[in-house]
Amino acid sequence: ATIGYANYDTLSGQFYVSTPITDKLSWNLAYGGSDQGEGWGNSISTGQDIYLEEFSTVRSKLLWEPTSTTTVKLVGFYAYSKGNIGMTTDRHTGSYGSTAGVPLPGYPDPQILLPSLADVPGDNFYNTWQNVPQSQREEGHGGSLRIDQETDFADLVSITAFRNSESLSVNDSDFSPQDFLIVTLSGIDDQVTQEFQIKSKADSAINWILGAYY
């Protein structure tokens, strides 16, 4: 196991354990994660930290060898991440409001200038005007079951697997303290797969494999 503490109030850790349960059954578990408590920059509009990131992942295996010719491996995993590192935070200088003296309902008159951070004095490379925290969130889990069976003729393999993942992206796309354009995108992905293989023996004069996958 390891644990670490770094710049920007970042706490991280890793853990791995592997052990026999019986003479035919063994198990392991692996974990890794990181949580950044302080952002690289902040929102000038709200004072909130930005450019943050956190993630964690865990994976476990159960290995069963009931005979010298049969191996069964069960695998499960979970992963999570959330952050806004790399998401756009600035814009070109521009203005909004009434044009050519024609009032626009809900917009200021006269126009208001919205400067780019590049035009504002100071070190604003990691800062933003945005008033809605941006983030990209991903979460997923899955598992697989693999069975290997040796025979006199060939080796047989069956692999059954599934995976589910969900994502949510929040984008303050107007890059300003105003609520002009907030875009939220979400996605769901579900997968189930099955594979069968018949393989030549390791000491076969000709290597061949026959399989089916869905």
Side-chain angles (χ1 to χ4, degrees):
T2 65
I3 189 169
Y5 181 77
N7 292 350
Y8 299 100
D9 194 23
T10 301
L11 184 66
S12 62
Q14 294 179 325
F15 174 79
Y16 177 78
V17 60
S18 179
T19 179
I21 299 176
T22 69
D23 60 341
K24 298 182 182 298
L25 186 66
S26 57
W27 169 80
N28 72 11
L29 176 71
Y31 168 82
S34 177
D35 187 0
Q36 180 184 338
E38 180 183 345
W40 298 355
N42 63 78
S43 167
I44 298 175
S45 303
T46 65
Q48 292 180 311
D49 284 11
I50 64 167
Y51 279 119
L52 291 158
E53 186 175 51
E54 61 176 303
F55 73 88
S56 60
T57 178
V58 61
R59 184 179 180 91
S60 183
K61 297 179 184 178
L62 194 65
L63 180 64
W64 181 40
E65 298 174 301
T67 70
S68 61
T69 59
T70 305
T71 301
V72 180
K73 183 187 293 184
L74 181 64
V75 180
F77 74 89
Y78 169 82
Y80 168 85
S81 68
K82 182 180 180 181
N84 55 19
I85 292 177
M87 299 183 76
T88 305
T89 59
D90 200 10
R91 59 170 189 275
H92 293 294
T93 296
S95 59
Y96 77 102
S98 301
T99 59
V102 179
L104 296 175
Y107 287 84
D109 186 11
Q111 293 184 346
I112 293 178
L113 179 69
L114 297 176
S116 167
L117 286 170
D119 301 327
V120 178
D123 183 9
N124 292 301
F125 188 78
Y126 290 117
N127 293 337
T128 182
W129 294 112
Q130 290 153 308
N131 63 323
V132 176
Q134 296 196 122
S135 66
Q136 177 70 38
R137 182 180 182 275
E138 301 278 351
E139 185 174 18
H141 65 275
S144 65
L145 175 65
R146 173 170 178 149
I147 303 174
D148 288 80
Q149 178 64 56
E150 298 181 18
T151 69
D152 295 337
F153 166 67
D155 294 338
L156 309 179
V157 181
S158 171
I159 304 173
T160 306
F162 80 96
R163 187 181 73 177
N164 170 267
S165 62
E166 298 183 6
S167 64
L168 177 64
S169 177
V170 179
N171 301 270
D172 189 348
S173 301
D174 54 67
F175 313 116
S176 77
Q178 312 299 321
D179 292 328
F180 287 149
L181 184 60
I182 311 301
V183 179
T184 301
L185 302 173
S186 61
I188 298 176
D189 177 49
D190 286 298
Q191 296 186 31
V192 177
T193 62
Q194 176 63 55
E195 182 173 3
F196 295 107
Q197 299 175 3
I198 304 176
K199 304 187 296 183
S200 59
K201 305 293 290 184
D203 57 355
S204 175
I206 299 177
N207 294 325
W208 56 268
I209 181 171
L210 178 65
Y213 177 83
Y214 171 78

